[in-house]
Amino acid sequence: MREKAQAMFTSRAFRQGSVASAITVVAVALVLVLNLFVGALAQRHQWRLDLTADRAFVLTDQSREFLAELEVDVTIYILTPETTLTASGDYFFQANEVIRQYAALSPRITLEYIDLTRQPAFAARFPQFQLGAHTILLVSGERVEPISIFDLFNIETDQFGSWIASSRAEQVLTGALLFLSMEELTTVGVLTGFGKPEPSALVALLETNRYRVVSLNPLTQEIDPAVSMLVINAPTTDYPEHLIATLERFLQSERETSILYFASVGQPELPNLEAFLADWGIVVGQGVVHQTDLNMTWRSSPHMSAVNYTEAVFARHALGFNSIMPNARPLDVAFVERGARVLSAPLVFNESAVVMPLDADESWSPAAESERGPFNALTISQEWALLPGGSEQVSTLAVFASADFIDVNMLINPYTGNAQYMLGFVGTLTGQEIDLAIAPSVIGLSPLPVTDFQVMVYGILLVIVLPLAVVLAGTAVFLRRRYM
């Protein structure tokens, strides 16, 4: 028995098997060590491979370029444990991954997770804020910017409840960092009253991108001298003549100023305002733009037409998207150039658009309309003046064909370019050196583009052919080793 055991341990088959086993053990150990090493490096340097369609888990080039030039030190405090945050859902996981990249890409940014239940003394450092488990704090020296975690998402609500429609984590975080790095904010004034509420979605977009937005009732308030841009959102009551004079003085002040006017098909005739616009060469027509080419519409609605970009300065961030101008009035020009005033149309409806009368009945046909596109969707009138010191001043009056261009459904939609266009437009007119136009990210399942036949073939390969091949290969190896 002992001789048989010695013979077995000294046999050629045993020696070969021992060497093979040792190689296997060493190989497995090396793989485990390499996996731990690479995992540690990936965790430290935030190595990620994002295979989502719109790159929802990686920062855009704009944010990366901004971080490369960041000159202030910032600490990001997330006041909830990381495991709790990432377990709250896919969008919370995505937001956490995005925030982690800021610290990984910039040595000036530090990220800390604070559990307020275990570190209650932390809240005492910031008594001016109501801190809770859904708070994010960005701290740079004496400046503190609080953010609610829910501000990182676009949330939609209907009669059945609320849900997260898309993520704007990168937009909010980069905007907050921009705010902390800026010495002075650009101020935009929104004129209220006259029958139309302020454009809340545009205000939110501008504030997210760190513009200072102030509401002004021109009947009771003077225009803040810090304001460089005014927004007039589709008033339904005409401005009195003394307010028209106020607008003229604002545009003629010795600094860069601009007025954005948004029209609406629901407006009545406004003689004073329309005369003011016409004096600058802009005529707001009657009726609603009707798009006959469904390929140029949003959701096949003829009154939700896409617009064409005629230049790449204002539209620089929106060139990869279609901007939608819903329920629009046609715009015309009274002149192209007069004195120092020059007109241009950065947005236009194409030649397949017609104008539908507001009183059209069911018998109306777009084919019968003689007034066809192209029509202006955005007209700007700019006046150049030479100031006493020799510097040049540009005053701008811009008229958008529809107030629905800045409706919340247009600005938060990740598939339209309206938000990107507005940020590029406002940033250019106000001279803001850094303007960020980061589209929201949608996390969802995309359908696999395969046919029924391909599904059948893949099923046969995975369920029958592959297992059978493994069995045959194993049998061949067993028989070879058994009789070698």
Side-chain angles (χ1 to χ4, degrees):
M1 188 70 178
R2 185 175 180 180
E3 293 177 355
K4 288 184 178 181
Q6 287 180 338
M8 181 182 69
F9 286 115
T10 56
S11 66
R12 179 167 176 258
F14 180 81
R15 290 197 304 273
Q16 290 180 338
S18 299
V19 172
S21 299
I23 292 174
T24 301
V25 171
V26 172
V28 170
L30 288 175
V31 169
L32 291 175
V33 171
L34 182 62
N35 183 59
L36 292 173
F37 178 71
V38 172
L41 287 177
Q43 183 71 17
R44 179 175 180 179
H45 298 287
Q46 290 296 296
W47 293 345
R48 296 290 189 273
L49 182 60
D50 188 352
L51 299 179
T52 57
D54 61 350
R55 309 281 289 169
F57 291 84
V58 297
L59 297 186
T60 62
D61 291 339
Q62 285 189 76
S63 290
R64 290 172 180 268
E65 292 169 5
F66 170 74
L67 290 174
E69 299 175 359
L70 186 64
E71 297 181 352
V72 296
D73 294 322
V74 180
T75 300
I76 302 175
Y77 295 103
I78 300 180
L79 306 189
T80 190
E82 184 177 16
T83 53
T84 303
L85 178 63
T86 56
S88 300
D90 291 343
Y91 276 103
F92 290 88
F93 181 87
Q94 181 265 354
N96 184 68
E97 289 294 304
V98 167
I99 295 172
R100 275 192 161 276
Q101 289 186 60
Y102 286 90
L105 294 172
S106 174
R108 289 192 171 274
I109 297 179
T110 303
L111 174 62
E112 293 187 30
Y113 296 86
I114 303 295
D115 187 347
L116 290 177
T117 60
R118 297 187 177 186
Q119 300 169 265
F122 179 86
R125 293 172 51 188
F126 306 96
Q128 69 272 40
F129 301 113
Q130 293 289 332
L131 302 183
H134 295 113
T135 304
I136 299 174
L137 286 181
L138 286 81
V139 181
S140 179
E142 298 298 320
R143 302 182 71 177
V144 182
E145 178 72 356
I147 297 172
S148 168
I149 287 179
F150 298 108
D151 290 338
L152 304 181
F153 315 113
N154 288 314
I155 299 176
E156 295 187 2
T157 304
D158 61 14
Q159 65 270 29
F160 301 107
S162 302
W163 68 93
I164 297 176
S166 57
S167 170
R168 58 188 189 123
E170 181 183 355
Q171 185 184 49
V172 171
L173 263 293
T174 303
L177 291 171
L178 173 62
F179 166 71
L180 292 174
S181 66
M182 292 176 65
E183 295 182 1
E184 186 176 351
L185 298 181
T186 300
T187 303
V188 177
V190 177
L191 298 187
T192 60
F194 298 93
K196 189 73 174 179
E198 72 172 25
S200 58
L202 177 62
V203 171
L205 177 69
L206 295 177
E207 289 180 337
T208 297
N209 286 269
R210 272 35 199 185
Y211 288 86
R212 176 175 172 256
V213 182
V214 295
S215 296
L216 299 169
N217 186 330
L219 289 176
T220 59
Q221 296 173 279
E222 295 289 334
I223 297 177
D224 188 334
V227 171
S228 59
M229 172 179 284
L230 290 176
V231 175
I232 302 175
N233 185 43
T236 55
T237 303
D238 202 7
Y239 277 28
E241 291 185 1
H242 75 276
L243 287 186
I244 298 297
T246 299
L247 298 181
E248 283 286 1
R249 286 194 300 271
F250 175 78
L251 289 176
Q252 300 299 332
S253 56
E254 294 184 353
R255 57 196 178 95
E256 300 279 326
T257 55
S258 54
I259 294 177
L260 308 189
Y261 180 92
F262 293 88
S264 170
V265 293
Q267 290 176 289
E269 292 186 5
L270 305 170
N272 291 339
L273 272 169
E274 291 166 4
F276 166 68
L277 300 179
D279 186 54
W280 282 77
I282 304 174
V283 179
V284 182
Q286 297 298 317
V288 59
V289 174
H290 183 100
Q291 180 58 256
T292 61
D293 181 1
L294 293 183
N295 293 320
M296 289 293 294
T297 63
W298 178 255
R299 296 176 178 172
S300 300
S301 173
H303 294 167
M304 300 185 71
S305 177
V307 292
N308 293 331
Y309 308 123
T310 64
E311 53 76 53
V313 177
F314 298 139
R316 59 189 179 275
H317 299 313
L319 292 175
F321 302 85
N322 286 322
S323 288
I324 309 299
M325 189 74 74
N327 307 314
R329 297 172 66 176
L331 302 180
D332 202 351
V333 296
F335 55 85
V336 176
E337 183 174 350
R338 188 173 70 186
R341 292 179 181 175
V342 179
L343 279 76
S344 60
L347 297 178
V348 297
F349 299 105
N350 68 7
E351 62 280 354
S352 60
V354 301
V355 176
M356 181 179 120
L358 292 179
D359 59 356
D361 55 25
E362 295 181 357
S363 64
W364 177 83
S365 170
E369 289 295 329
S370 59
E371 187 179 5
R372 310 188 74 84
F375 304 114
N376 292 355
L378 165 62
T379 303
I380 64 173
S381 179
Q382 294 184 299
E383 182 178 80
W384 277 260
L386 192 63
L387 299 179
S391 60
E392 190 177 59
Q393 169 206 320
V394 181
S395 302
T396 304
L397 174 62
V399 177
F400 288 78
S402 174
D404 289 341
F405 186 80
I406 53 172
D407 177 76
V408 61
N409 294 318
M410 292 290 102
L411 292 186
I412 72 170
N413 197 306
Y415 302 111
T416 69
N418 293 32
Q420 289 86 339
Y421 190 87
M422 285 307 305
L423 289 175
F425 190 76
V426 173
T428 301
L429 292 184
T430 59
Q432 180 157 299
E433 294 182 1
I434 303 175
D435 56 322
L436 302 166
I438 301 168
S441 299
V442 176
I443 304 173
L445 299 176
S446 299
L448 188 65
V450 294
T451 64
D452 292 340
F453 176 75
Q454 290 173 316
V455 171
M456 182 183 68
V457 172
Y458 294 151
I460 293 173
L461 289 174
L462 293 174
V463 177
I464 300 176
V465 176
L466 184 59
L468 183 60
V470 171
V471 171
L472 292 176
T475 303
V477 170
F478 171 78
L479 292 176
R480 184 175 182 277
R481 293 178 64 88
R482 177 71 176 81
Y483 296 105
M484 65 183 296

